[in-house]
Amino acid sequence: MKKVGILMGSDSDLPVVEKAINTLKEYGVPYEVHVYSAHRTPEQAKEFSANAAARGFGAIIAAAGKAAHLAGAIAANTTLPVIGIPIKSSNLDGVDALLSTVQMPSGIPVATVAIDGAVNAALLSIQILAVSDEELAAKLLEARRKASEKVLAKNAEIEARYNTL
C-alpha cells in the first residue's frame, strides 16, 4: 500500500494535523509526518516532494496557516496529489490560509479542504489510494454505511418524539 506524506509548516499545526494522523491510523494507511516550512526550510520541503513518489507515497497532505504556501510549494515539485489543510490562525481565523491554499495557478493543482479540515484531508487521501486498493475501498464503504445508520437512528428518535399526529 502506498503511504501518505503529512507535512505541516509549524509544530503549532499538530493539534489539527493529529486528526488526519488518527484517521489514517483508523484505516490502516501508512504515513510519515514532518515539519517543513515553505519559507523557512524550502530545500527540505522541495527534497521531500521531489522524491516522494520514488519513496512510495501516493498522496501528500500539507497543513499550514497564515500565508500557507506549503501545499503549493509541495505541489510545484511533485505530480502526486497534494491536499492542503488551511490552518486557523489568530489573525484572520484561517481565511488567509484558505485563500493562500486554494488560489493555485493553472497547472499546479492543490485539493483544498475546509479550514482545520484534517479528517477530510485524510479521507480524501484514503479515497485516492483506494482507487487501486479494493480493501481500502471496502473500508471506506463500511464507514459510510455506519455513518448512515447513525443518522437514520437519530432521525427515528426525532420522528418518534415530534411526529405525534
Side-chain angles (χ1 to χ4, degrees):
M1 177 184 298
K2 298 275 188 181
K3 301 181 285 187
V4 174
I6 305 173
L7 309 178
M8 61 191 112
S10 168
D11 66 338
S12 65
D13 301 330
L14 187 57
V16 171
V17 170
E18 280 182 323
K19 295 173 186 172
I21 294 168
N22 292 337
T23 302
L24 292 170
K25 281 182 189 176
E26 185 180 317
Y27 281 83
V29 174
Y31 59 87
E32 279 185 24
V33 183
H34 300 279
V35 177
Y36 293 138
S37 167
H39 304 108
R40 295 180 297 266
T41 60
E43 291 303 317
Q44 291 82 358
K46 180 179 180 180
E47 188 278 329
F48 178 88
S49 57
N51 296 304
R55 292 188 52 229
F57 290 92
I60 301 171
I61 296 170
K66 299 186 180 182
H69 294 132
L70 184 59
I74 297 302
N77 291 291
T78 187
T79 57
L80 292 176
V82 176
I83 303 160
I85 305 173
I87 302 291
K88 184 176 181 178
S89 65
S90 58
N91 297 336
L92 298 172
D93 288 332
V95 174
D96 49 347
L98 174 64
L99 295 175
S100 294
T101 306
V102 78
Q103 291 291 358
M104 292 300 300
S106 294
I108 308 294
V110 169
T112 306
V113 296
I115 296 167
D116 291 350
V119 171
N120 274 351
L123 288 171
L124 182 54
S125 70
I126 292 166
Q127 287 178 293
I128 290 165
L129 299 181
V131 167
S132 60
D133 186 322
E134 291 181 20
E135 185 178 325
L136 204 49
K139 287 180 182 180
L140 284 165
L141 285 172
E142 179 63 13
R144 292 216 177 161
R145 185 191 63 75
K146 287 179 180 178
S148 177
E149 285 179 358
K150 285 182 182 179
V151 171
L152 292 174
K154 295 205 183 273
N155 176 61
E157 290 173 19
I158 296 296
E159 285 180 353
R161 184 173 176 183
Y162 293 103
N163 296 346
T164 58
L165 296 179

